[in-house]
Amino acid sequence: MLLQRAYDDNAVRTRELLVEGDAIARALAEAGITYVPLKGWHTILDGWWNDPATRVLRDLDVLVPEADAPRALDVLTQAGFAPIDEPLDDYADHQLPAIASPRHPLSVEIHTALAVSRWREVLPAADVLAAARGGRMSTTHAVIHSIVHAELHDEAHLLRHLPLRALHELAVVAQSAAASAIDWDEVRSRFGRAGRRASAALDAHLGSARSLFGAQVPARSAPSSSARVRAHLALCQLELVSPRAARAYRATVFVPRAWGEARLHRLYGDGNVWRLRARHVRRRLRFGRPAGGS
């Protein structure tokens, strides 16, 4: 009964989101702004799911050219969408602040890129917009975006998390009619040109999707990565059963970034980096967490 109620509630919310999506698409099209639906919105419009109500949508994400982003925000504001008082942090340099629907309890995020600047090279927005047809991104780009967002943008690979929704979604599209449209050579190439860490994240994602959901996806990019993929999955599963280990690991992997020169200058201003690090340590010992981030 609990699962049935959750399904029924999500079916209503999905219908509301799709109605809002139609309104957004009309407003942007009438203004002459090129747009591409992203993430869950795209997967439903592209028919990945036999039943759209089985895909949970938290909000609607739409990609527009960076030069058109301010005008897109104005167009949707005129259509009744209102700013949400939740400012973005410095990490979120790929989108505008979310706006809220005047009719339903949902938000819309206008994106100018597919991921934060650190991983933007994997899938540049210009490539997605150029390859889009009929206002839809290509299936290959949608698969790349799902993996980039889960493993690199949200840092599941670094943190040894299992992004279950993205893994399941890959298994779904891999057995759908859209599977034949996935260019796996392009997928490999785009992750490969972003470096070894990106390629390792792709291998881990494909391996986890095969292991957990039986996804019909290609094998790893190189035989030598097999052991790394198995080790990654084992660590992810360990963190699921040991929250204490997960917290310790997360604190450890973030140390280099927390002590990075750019971050310390952002938190404390100009100055000698070692003095800033000493100041950071004193502040952590005194308050536990500095203003502006962990």
Side-chain angles (χ1 to χ4, degrees), residues 34-36 63-65 114 123-138 141 186 190:
T34 301
Y35 69 92
V36 172
L63 175 69
V64 302
L114 280 297
L123 190 61
D127 292 358
V128 172
L129 293 168
R133 296 292 180 268
R136 305 267 181 87
M137 68 194 306
S138 73
H141 287 169
E186 181 180 353
R190 287 186 176 275

Side-chain angles (χ1 to χ4, degrees), residues 178-253:
S180 60
I182 304 173
D183 183 345
W184 288 107
D185 288 337
E186 181 180 353
V187 175
R188 291 286 188 204
S189 174
R190 287 186 176 275
F191 278 87
R193 74 187 187 190
R196 293 177 60 184
R197 184 176 297 178
S199 291
L202 172 62
D203 284 339
H205 196 86
L206 297 181
S208 297
R210 283 194 304 272
S211 177
L212 299 176
F213 296 105
Q216 300 173 21
V217 295
R220 57 197 177 277
S221 56
S224 61
S225 68
S226 178
R228 291 198 302 271
V229 170
R230 290 197 301 270
H232 172 80
L233 184 56
L235 285 171
C236 290
Q237 293 169 332
L238 174 63
E239 289 201 13
L240 285 176
V241 299
S242 178
R244 180 177 297 180
R247 287 194 298 270
Y249 178 81
R250 193 158 50 242
T252 301
V253 298

Side-chain angles (χ1 to χ4, degrees), residues 164-181:
L164 293 177
R165 184 171 68 181
L167 294 169
H168 176 244
E169 195 160 80
L170 179 59
V172 168
V173 68
Q175 64 183 14
S176 73
S180 60

